[in-house]
Amino acid sequence: MNAEPDGPEDRLRRLTTIWSRALYPVTSTSLTRAEFEGQLLPLGRRLSELLRARSFDADAAKAVGAALVEAHCTDPEALSRTLDCVDAYLVLYCGGDGPQDELRMRSSRLQHAMAAGYAHALRRRTLAEQEAIAQAALRAQGVVAQALHASEARFRAVFEGAAIGIGIADLDGHILQVNEALLRMFGQSQQSLRGRRVQDWTHPDDAPQTWRLYDELVRGEREHYHLEKAFNRPDGTVLWTNLTVSLLRDADGRPQYQLALMEDTTERRLLNLRLRYEATHDALTGLPNRTLFFERLEKVLATGDGQRFGLCYLDLDGFKTINDSLGHAAGDRLLVEVADRLQSCATAPGEMVARLGGDEFVALTTGPGTDRTVDELAERIMNALVTPISIDGRDLLVRGSLGIVEGPAGERTAAEVLRSADITMYRAKSAGGNRSELADPEADARAITRHGLTTALPTALERGEFFIEYQPLVHLGDGSVRGAEALVRWLHPQHGVLGPDRFIPLAEHTGLIVPLGRWVLEESIRQARAWRVRHGGQDAGPLRINVNLSPCQLSHPGLVQDTVDILERAGVTPDALCLEVTESALIGADDDLLKPLRRLAEMGVDIALDDFGTGYSNLANLRRLPVSVLKLDRSFTQGMQQFPADPVDLKIVEGIVTLAHSLDLAVTVEGVETGAQAEQLRVLGCDTAQGWYYARPGPPERLHDLALADAKG
């Protein structure tokens, strides 16, 4: 029988067991290790919850660090062992199937917060010890003569047994006494420290107020002060401490001694620096990451006084292909090499390079003349990518698209600048890549609007914001209305009525064109049914509805069945429907793509080849396409708006009409705007036409009125 897989609770207990084994040897406790493990279990459960929480809770993580201090885990190694354990095992045992990179980033932030909470709690505990020691010292100095021996013994016990460093000096700064803990911290002997002066311990990293506070204390103007201070050790290393200095007075209240209490924070400081580095640098390339770059950019943009900035946003072209073909390990090595080259491009003061994620990098330059320096930086970046990169014996040519933003500080936020750079970079990529583009506010606005429309498209269909206008199709021979083309519109809440050119490409890109196209087909067929009922008695038969079909719809497997179902539900015969497909969509189309069109044509649905003449297909291909109508693009008839008409245009249209009729294809012409055009097209043999000369697209009632007028005429 197979063993059941470990559940979340089992993995949590495994993590806690490892943690307790690492921490127990350096913890002063009367508990057994099993009891100590039970004490750590709730803390491990809390870390697991924080790792997988929707939002990051720094206070809760700090509370875990503080709880370790309450559990007497105060040895200098306790925090280091805890953070090593959390770093190695928290994501492994408690991360589940979540995204590993995000979980490791969350784990790093948890470690940072735990260390902060631990340090804060240990400081509170230390200050309490310091206060007790100070009070004991004061009592030891001020007791009556008959209790002097006992008080001195108590003070000596506290002085020698304290875990923190203690030193006593006179008001001139001469050191009189130090305890063993302080000697260990400095790595020196009692003899070498005694007699030294406090003023000798200056350090370049001293806070500006350090020695001012010291002078005020020895003059009796303050009782104590607390700050962080660094000391140089004899071996050349730096000792970082939390330092509290108190003034000791004699029985008459006159200043007599100064008492220094030191807590060694060197290891904790190094841990914090390590965690800070890991949280702000990319693990693969070592470059600053998005967090650190965003902080730097915000600081730059917050400055004024004529300062400017320049930003280059780089995305590698075709990086996914490298990952897919050579593997992610090769892709990582490529990113490291690119990072090194970019780093060498930004070495001047005020310049930096960061990796935002994936194959996206950003370079920043600051100063008064960035309009010039950012162009130079962009040129260096593009030149750095020219030389191929050798990976696993292959020389890979790396290309990149670069978006450049430059301007004065103080006018835009960091998020706005990065968005503009991102938009500009994609503009460079859309133009073919391997090039740079300069940000353009108008292009940014169009891209932002386009993104907003893309985001709003799905809910717009649900809210019923789309409607259809109909443009009549007129027979050139007798002027009768034979049908209409359905043209979808979007009544946007902010932008008003939008034509299909504004949102159909977005719908095709997102895949929404399939449900939107189905809705247009349903509405159009329903309208065709209504026209058929109202004009059923006419000899001309039912009015035909033309509906545009996008390439995405053409390749959708449900096209034929959806069309059949819609026609059957509406009770409309297939000959009342004409589906328009652009010529460009059928260029080079194989039999699989043409199969649904053939099935629809066999059912009786007309297929029109829209925008004919704008593509580059061979006219011989018309024989294999299941089309019954050619729709000439308006570009062929523009020369007929003037009199006399352009003879070249006349010859071209005449040739196309002759060819179409020889193949039993009807010809429809778009964009008819004048009576002269209409007459010329009639003479050339075109069958139907549409355009503003007859009517602009409008509501279905207008078509009814036009058809009714034709019938009366």
Side-chain angles (χ1 to χ4, degrees), residues 8 31 45 93 233 319 326 357 394 454 569 606 655 664 674 691:
L31 301 176
R45 181 172 289 108
Y93 287 123
R233 290 190 178 107
F319 179 72
L326 301 182
R394 300 169 182 256
T454 302
R569 283 198 301 269
D606 283 329
D664 292 329
T674 67

Side-chain angles (χ1 to χ4, degrees), residues 302-374:
T303 60
D305 301 329
Q307 288 297 309
R308 300 180 70 86
F309 74 94
L311 189 149
C312 298
Y313 197 117
L314 174 70
D315 183 271
L316 302 183
D317 298 334
F319 179 72
K320 184 178 184 300
T321 303
I322 295 175
N323 261 347
D324 292 344
S325 59
L326 301 182
H328 288 274
D332 286 348
R333 291 199 294 275
L334 178 70
L335 291 175
V336 171
E337 175 63 27
V338 170
D340 289 342
R341 294 187 182 186
L342 296 181
Q343 186 74 63
S344 66
C345 294
T347 56
E351 294 182 345
M352 76 173 294
V353 173
R355 181 190 179 201
L356 299 186
D359 59 335
E360 294 181 341
F361 298 86
V362 66
L364 177 68
T365 181
T366 59
T370 53
D371 52 341
R372 174 181 52 82
T373 57
V374 73

